[in-house]
Amino acid sequence: MESIKRKIIPSPQSVKESSEKVFLAKFGKSRYDISLACEKSDLVMSAHDKVRSSIIERIAAVPVSEEMTDWTVKYDDEIFVLEMKVDPSSPRFSEMKKAESYYIDINASGAVLCGYDDAGLFYAAVTLSHLLEEECGSLYLPCVEIDDYPEFVDRGHFLECRYGSDFMTKQEYFDAIDYFADMKINNLTVGIYGCWCTQYDRKISEYLYLPIKKYPELKTPRCIKYYSVEERKWIYKKDVLPTMFEEDYLSEIMAYAKKKNITIKPLFNSLGHNTLIPRIFPEISARDENGVPTGHYFCVSDENTYKVMFDIYDELIDNYMLPNGITAMEIGLDEVTAGLGENPEKPHERYSPHCQCEKCRSLEFKEIMLRYIEKVCQYLKKKGIKSIYIYQDMLQFHFDCINEELVERFKKADIYDVVVIDWWSYRKMNDLFRGKADGVNNLFRSIVKPMTGYYHWMIPMEYNENVWGCAKLAYERGFEGIESYCSFDYSFDKSYLFQAELSWNKESLMGDEWVPVINDFIKRYAYRNYPHAYEEACEVFEIMHNIMEDASDNMLRGVEYYLYSYVRDGLPYPRRFPEEIFKMMLNARAKYTSYFERIISLTEKVIEFFEEQEEIHMTPSLINKTWLASALHYYTLANEYYTLLNSVDAVNNGGISADEFLTVLDELIFCREDLMKVAESARIEANKYLYLRNLSVGRQYLVDIRNGVLKNLEEGKEINIDLTDLKEYKSEGFTFLQ
């Protein structure tokens, strides 16, 4: 049905196929043997293990182990030899790009997997694992010639230090590394420090993933609160520290990733997304007009600021990076602006990042930032860091200074060779880089940062138009690579793979329209996961694409609790959820009603498909269950709001009785709990906590309305519900969840 080039993601550069295939293995019988004709480095052994495990696990249906080395019985002399080697002198590489290149030749007598380097051999093994075809309990390989190499040097993701990743275990990181390596991703930036505004529990959202021995007071505990449908009880854990912080395993995941050709580089922000350090050490924070430390941002004229930051960098570099050969790091410096919610006691107060001490007040803020960048980069370069990634938004949007003058300035400061501009934009093509995409240049070493998926704790969305637009721009500008902004969650599987495709093979970037590209990719993704139900899967994923693509078109994005955990100008805090939402809906009722009806109709068919696949177990259960949870989330939210709008009108106007309304509420609670139960098993352990907390908020206000109506009935009161004012119904449990 599908050619090899189309069904393998990312697709190889060159494929010469034939209609023939060769038998490789069957349980208890095998024709294959693996010959390693090269030095056994970590990457080479990973390639060997990838080939061996992909064959054995497919046939035996169990994880491969050392005890299974002799599980096969070779018969006669008909041995199919899989020769694996590294040979940079091969003529096959004369026309290909070099690093990470490989070729595969498979015919009736054997197969050759050859890498230009060890990484190339590893990717040859990855490709071979996707070439395997299963038929009647046997494994076959197609007779084929493949020549392949990546378009971009740097292909990866930035795993933000935010909800979920703070509780990821070492094994969950190992699993993520294996998962991304299978897409030929070679870079993962791991967020180590970042801060956001006040949200849950009236606390600032702060994340520090490493214990800083010199400054043990730097810690970021967080509470876990949610209702478990599986256990039928509330889960509450107070002041839990990030798992990486407590177990200190960053070095281990760096070493593990290296064996899969993935570089783990840390991100440690400072001027922006930085409330913890100046809050704990206010003496280095920005001063107000009276010279008093504000406890926010930094005074960059104070040498003590650099002492603290360089002490932290020293621990990060000396203890984790250099021992693992890591010479690249991200220092952030994005969104250095006065924001809301940086003080839980005064959530609506803003604090300027422009220090007003005697030395700073006379300087433009642009100059303050540039001096800070120079001093930090000079220090990191002396420490052996060869690539220092810096976000572009302040330099581009606020200062408009990514130009020749800045090039000369950084050359004079001797940091030009190590600075890499990280150009980020998460918008659609018509507003990429806030409409300033023409100003994106390659005067510096550069990568581009689209969004593959971030908000795993709320309704899942896709941003594939953004990914394609950024990738195309990176190709046209000759950037070093593409590293998306994301969190790690399997609900973003299709988007991760889409970016993997675009960063490996430029073919999809050559046209001017992205719609044919994504439509073709949807079919390939459907075949990858559901070859036994290809036609129906294509239809299902087209539906999911149409309802998930980009938050700006997604009304359901705006009706979940998470967005109402933020402080907003002119609105009380805590916010009035769900009253704000119902007020918004009632002011545009026809629009919302029509949208909800459409989502309910579309997702019913999608849910049926994924539930059927779950029952027949013909699809990898985690990916299928994740898609089921996503479809259920859309259906549940749309159905919940649609039903509440109509049933509240009905009970208020006498169209239905109070008892009938209670039955409606019971059905909505059951539907939401069904989603929560699936979500508990579909999310990795770390990610389910906040996802379920947000879902629990929605469950709780439904339970509270039900209990309030029941109480009013018992007291003989008239039932008249105002969805824009539910304060009389809200319980302590609801407040506790906020």
Side-chain angles (χ1 to χ4, degrees), residues 507-573:
E507 187 175 328
S508 297
L509 303 174
M510 303 307 289
D512 295 325
E513 297 292 332
W514 95 285
V515 174
V517 175
I518 192 63
N519 287 344
D520 179 69
F521 185 81
I522 288 170
K523 294 175 183 176
R524 294 172 58 196
Y525 184 79
Y527 185 80
R528 174 190 176 92
N529 290 293
Y530 302 90
H532 56 280
Y534 172 67
E535 297 293 339
E536 192 174 0
C538 285
E539 183 179 357
V540 162
F541 282 116
E542 184 177 349
I543 291 171
M544 291 303 291
H545 166 75
N546 288 334
I547 66 176
M548 290 174 68
E549 180 63 35
D550 201 289
S552 62
D553 297 333
N554 192 325
M555 290 188 199
L556 286 177
R557 179 183 185 268
V559 299
E560 284 211 86
Y561 174 69
Y562 169 70
L563 295 181
Y564 296 83
S565 67
Y566 281 93
V567 181
R568 289 291 180 261
D569 280 321
L571 294 173
Y573 195 81

Side-chain angles (χ1 to χ4, degrees), residues 171-188:
Q171 186 58 52
E172 285 172 336
Y173 270 107
F174 284 176
D175 293 343
I177 288 164
D178 289 339
Y179 169 74
F180 286 124
D182 205 51
M183 301 178 192
K184 301 185 174 77
I185 291 301
N186 67 0
N187 268 275
L188 288 175

Side-chain angles (χ1 to χ4, degrees), residues 93 96 100-104 114 120 123-124 127 147-148 184 504:
F93 295 117
M96 281 196 282
E100 302 179 318
S101 301
Y102 70 89
Y103 70 81
I104 296 176
C114 181
Y123 289 142
T127 298
D147 293 279
D148 202 12
K184 301 185 174 77
W504 185 272

